[in-house]
Amino acid sequence: VLLETNDILAAVREAKRATELAPYQPDSWYYLAFGQHKAGDHAGELAALDKLLQISPNYPRARELRKVAACEVSGRKDCLGRR
């Protein structure tokens, strides 16, 4: 709900809290990664996706999203099709 209202920082705080309360709930890690992406925290996004894949290796789209996050963290423009 907070992501829908564009209160990104509050959404990230709530997602972090959710990962603390239920660390083995993959959806919490997904929403944390998504919120961190929206906030521009790509290193945090990458860490959340790594944790997500650790607890749920077959989570839908997680591997694809991790590739994008790793590219964003690297700062390389060529790995996202940008030049």
Side-chain angles (χ1 to χ4, degrees):
V1 171
L2 290 171
L3 284 172
E4 293 172 2
T5 65
N6 274 342
D7 193 348
I8 303 303
L9 296 179
V12 169
R13 279 193 307 272
E14 288 302 310
K16 283 182 181 178
R17 187 170 184 274
T19 62
E20 292 165 2
L21 294 172
Y24 295 103
Q25 172 50 260
D27 290 339
S28 298
W29 291 102
Y30 174 81
Y31 286 114
L32 176 58
F34 184 75
Q36 288 172 314
H37 173 80
K38 295 289 251 179
D41 178 7
H42 301 302
E45 172 191 11
L46 184 59
L49 288 167
D50 283 343
K51 182 64 178 179
L52 167 60
L53 286 166
Q54 181 182 18
I55 61 174
S56 184
N58 297 316
Y59 195 90
R61 296 196 59 224
R63 291 191 188 285
E64 176 185 333
L65 294 172
R66 192 201 179 283
K67 287 179 187 175
V68 172
C71 183
E72 291 168 331
V73 168
S74 78
R76 290 179 42 212
K77 296 182 190 283
D78 60 331
C79 59
L80 291 177
R82 296 179 287 184
R83 298 190 195 276

